[in-house]
Amino acid sequence: MSALSGIRVVDITNNQAGPSCGQMLAWFGADVVKVEEPGGGDIARRNMRDRPDADSLFFLSFNANKKSLTLNLKTPQGKEVFRRLLATADVLLENFGPGALDRLGFGYAALRTEYPRLVYASIKGFGSYGPHADYKSYEPIAQAIGDSGTGMHCVIGILAALMQRHTTGEGQHVEVSMQDAVVNLIRVALRDHQRFGKPLQRAGNQLNAVPATTYRCAPGGPNDYVMMLAQQQMWHALLKAIGREDLIGDARYETAEARAKHVTEVNAVIEAWTSKRNKYEVTKILAAAGVPCGAVQDTGEVLNDPHLHAREMIVEVPHPVRGSYLTAGNPVKLSASPTKIESAPLLGQHNHEVLTALGYGEADIAALKAAGAI
């Protein structure tokens, strides 16, 4: 049994932040019905398309394990189908522009009385209140501000609201702002700003600790680097691993404060060793010594990483048009309900299945199609 078995999510989101949230809920076993405009569907199906006869890899990356229902919410018939669908739902997930759903009659205030148990989850660029509430945004804009992770934050909010519903019997409005999510993720930087009383300076890959940066490896290509961070208690182990036991006890490098004053020298000592070995050999040796270290990988190396394949973080998924494609798996592992990654749906693939379950007969479905509602 999946963790969210029996939970239905009506997903009317587009692009990235909203669909990634719906995908995570689907991975946990929720029945996620993605409602899309007839004819075109989610704009992400066409954005950055790599072949004209198939949905883009961008779309496939954020819509796995869902069902697709085409529905024109601007028609009376489409509105009626949507209301009947909401009556079966636990969660409505939306990322429409400010005020758009209110104009259609599906804002939270309008639905709250009719569907009191419904968890109404909204993802907005800047939220529904505050000076910037009317501003629009996309995930890349949020990433430019910092680093969003909005979809994951929305999942947490939805699960919390569902848990509270067990106690109160009522749903509520879950709102996640992309900018709010950024603030949550950059809390360490905000802390340091207050510690030092000024904005943090860009330092490239060099972190505050020493050693803590990227080091060149053999044979010296553009991706031949490792990232290493050794704290004070690891310093002697690092020196032994790279054959520089002679520096143990050297006052210039023995403490974190001393190494910070001689950062160029410390990095030169380490890179003299790493530059003679490939990044995977360096990682293996230092990992054995208890020193945190990781090879810098390009996207091709990530797609072929045996560790990621073993953890089902890179999975091959069959597709009715493409044949198969590689995509990211579920980063949250539940021991009692493992995730099976399935292909994102074709546009309208589940129209008949969903509508039949809602009580529509063949003649009804034909009439909806003739009216342009599906």
Side-chain angles (χ1 to χ4, degrees), residues 17 41 58 93 127 129 131 151 176 187 191 211 224 256 273 275 306 351:
F58 175 46
L93 176 61
Y129 58 90
V176 177
R187 68 185 77 177
R191 175 207 67 189
D224 290 319
W273 179 81
S275 62
N351 280 5

Side-chain angles (χ1 to χ4, degrees), residues 80-243:
E80 175 56 33
V81 174
F82 191 61
R83 289 188 179 278
R84 195 181 294 193
L85 180 63
L86 288 179
T88 71
D90 297 280
V91 179
L92 172 63
L93 176 61
E94 64 92 8
N95 66 347
F96 276 52
L101 281 183
D102 294 287
R103 292 190 292 273
L104 287 171
F106 297 119
Y108 177 62
L111 297 182
R112 183 179 183 182
T113 302
E114 188 173 355
Y115 309 99
R117 288 177 53 81
L118 184 69
V119 173
Y120 190 113
S122 300
I123 296 178
K124 306 295 182 187
F126 298 93
S128 63
Y129 58 90
H132 297 165
D134 291 334
Y135 292 9
K136 292 184 178 180
S137 183
Y138 286 113
E139 188 76 3
I141 295 173
Q143 291 173 0
I145 298 170
D147 181 15
S148 172
T150 313
M152 182 67 76
H153 285 87
C154 193
V155 170
I156 295 169
I158 289 170
L159 296 181
L162 288 172
M163 287 299 296
Q164 184 171 340
R165 193 181 69 174
H166 286 311
T167 303
T168 66
E170 296 183 352
Q172 58 184 294
H173 189 191
V174 176
E175 180 176 282
V176 177
S177 151
M178 293 181 183
Q179 190 178 39
D180 291 352
V182 168
V183 172
N184 187 61
L185 289 170
I186 63 171
R187 68 185 77 177
V188 172
L190 298 178
R191 175 207 67 189
D192 287 345
H193 178 103
Q194 295 177 87
R195 284 176 61 200
F196 303 119
K198 61 181 180 179
L200 299 183
Q201 300 300 306
R202 299 183 186 274
N205 294 326
Q206 181 65 60
L207 305 182
N208 289 332
V210 179
T213 189
T214 50
Y215 297 93
R216 182 174 293 279
C217 300
N223 295 307
D224 290 319
Y225 289 88
V226 294
M227 180 71 197
M228 180 198 311
L229 194 163
Q231 295 184 313
Q232 178 62 33
Q233 69 272 22
M234 305 166 185
W235 176 240
H236 288 180
L238 172 60
L239 291 176
K240 291 176 182 178
I242 67 174

Side-chain angles (χ1 to χ4, degrees), residues 3-78:
L4 294 182
S5 179
I7 296 295
R8 166 164 278 186
V9 179
V10 175
D11 178 354
I12 55 174
T13 64
N14 288 274
N15 278 298
Q16 182 171 337
S20 69
C21 175
Q23 177 174 260
M24 181 69 73
L25 296 171
W27 281 344
F28 288 143
D31 177 29
V32 179
V33 180
K34 184 177 178 70
V35 176
E36 305 180 71
E37 283 278 352
D42 187 339
I43 188 64
R45 288 185 182 272
R46 302 180 297 282
N47 280 355
M48 296 177 280
R49 182 179 278 174
D50 59 306
R51 47 185 285 185
D53 64 334
D55 293 324
S56 72
L57 290 167
F58 175 46
F59 175 83
L60 299 181
S61 297
F62 296 105
N63 291 281
N65 294 54
K66 300 180 185 180
K67 297 174 181 176
S68 173
L69 170 68
T70 55
L71 204 57
N72 186 349
L73 296 180
K74 296 177 182 178
T75 65
Q77 299 91 333

